[in-house]
Amino acid sequence: MSNLKKIVITGAPSSGKTTLINQLKHLGYYCFPEISRHVTEQAQLQGIEQMFLHDPYLFSEKLLEGRMQQYYEAKEFSGIVFLDRGIPDVEAYLHFTEKEIPEKFIKASQNHVYDAVFLLPPWEAIYENDAQRYETFAQAELIDQHLKATYEKYGYQLYVVPPGTIHERVSYVLERL
């Protein structure tokens, strides 16, 4: 649909992405959820504690499939649609683990373009680990660098969402659309 805008909300672990997405949902926007938690939970049910660490390529394949599916599902909407992470995030995380990037991941990022990307930087005051989030804050800072570099590689201008109240963050995003 011609007035569709696919907007990515990305950032390091525990940077406030889910809180922002939930608030946008509350305001009536359609938001696609982060799928890595679901993939991780499914692997844990099969006895694999951290699938990304166990088999980064298989984990990344599952994420790529899910994010591409979300990209195509977003085309069914009109107006603004938010996605909790985009296809280039898969490549950024593989870079973080110093893995070689398969060509299909690069092609997917080149062929699936978003209208805007908002990056939430690491925020130590809200940082916490849980059953799916194993990274340290220092690792989150490195992931942030890889996310920036990967999205910039594909020509995106990143809007860096400053720390603040949820209302300030939502306003920052909506004022730039």
Side-chain angles (χ1 to χ4, degrees), residues 19-72:
T19 301
L20 179 58
I21 288 283
N22 287 341
Q23 184 64 24
L24 290 165
K25 246 191 271 189
H26 178 74
L27 294 173
Y29 292 96
Y30 191 84
C31 302
F32 284 91
E34 164 61 274
I35 59 173
S36 67
R37 281 188 177 271
H38 175 73
V39 171
T40 299
E41 288 167 358
Q42 292 300 309
Q44 287 172 343
L45 291 174
Q46 298 171 3
I48 302 169
E49 191 57 33
Q50 288 295 341
M51 186 177 191
F52 183 67
L53 298 176
H54 176 75
D55 189 342
Y57 286 116
L58 177 60
F59 184 78
S60 297
E61 284 277 344
K62 289 181 178 291
L63 291 184
L64 181 63
E65 289 169 16
R67 294 208 177 112
M68 287 176 65
Q69 181 179 347
Q70 287 179 337
Y71 183 92
Y72 290 115

Side-chain angles (χ1 to χ4, degrees), residues 8-163:
V8 171
I9 305 290
T10 191
S14 201
S15 59
K17 289 181 310 303
T18 302
T19 301
L20 179 58
I21 288 283
N22 287 341
Q23 184 64 24
L24 290 165
K25 246 191 271 189
H26 178 74
L27 294 173
Y29 292 96
Y30 191 84
C31 302
F32 284 91
E34 164 61 274
I35 59 173
S36 67
R37 281 188 177 271
H38 175 73
V39 171
T40 299
E41 288 167 358
Q42 292 300 309
Q44 287 172 343
L45 291 174
Q46 298 171 3
I48 302 169
E49 191 57 33
Q50 288 295 341
M51 186 177 191
F52 183 67
L53 298 176
H54 176 75
D55 189 342
Y57 286 116
L58 177 60
F59 184 78
S60 297
E61 284 277 344
K62 289 181 178 291
L63 291 184
L64 181 63
E65 289 169 16
R67 294 208 177 112
M68 287 176 65
Q69 181 179 347
Q70 287 179 337
Y71 183 92
Y72 290 115
E73 286 177 17
K75 290 184 174 190
E76 301 298 317
F77 294 86
S78 61
I80 298 170
V81 175
F82 292 95
L83 298 103
D84 190 339
R85 297 197 180 278
I87 292 169
D89 282 63
V90 180
E91 183 177 333
Y93 270 79
L94 284 172
H95 274 297
F96 166 69
T97 60
E98 300 178 354
K99 300 288 184 210
E100 191 171 318
I101 310 302
E103 186 66 25
K104 72 186 271 181
F105 289 72
I106 295 167
K107 293 268 189 236
S109 291
Q110 291 171 334
N111 295 329
H112 300 83
V113 178
Y114 300 98
D115 295 289
V117 178
F118 289 87
L119 176 73
L120 282 71
W123 189 359
E124 195 162 18
I126 64 169
Y127 195 84
E128 59 183 45
N129 294 96
D130 61 24
Q132 287 82 36
R133 184 183 299 124
Y134 60 87
E135 301 93 348
T136 65
F137 186 73
Q139 289 172 317
E141 292 178 311
L142 287 173
I143 290 167
D144 177 66
Q145 292 172 18
H146 287 287
L147 287 166
K148 282 180 192 171
T150 302
Y151 276 96
E152 288 172 350
K153 167 185 161 182
Y154 292 109
Y156 290 100
Q157 173 191 344
L158 297 174
Y159 296 98
V160 179
V161 181

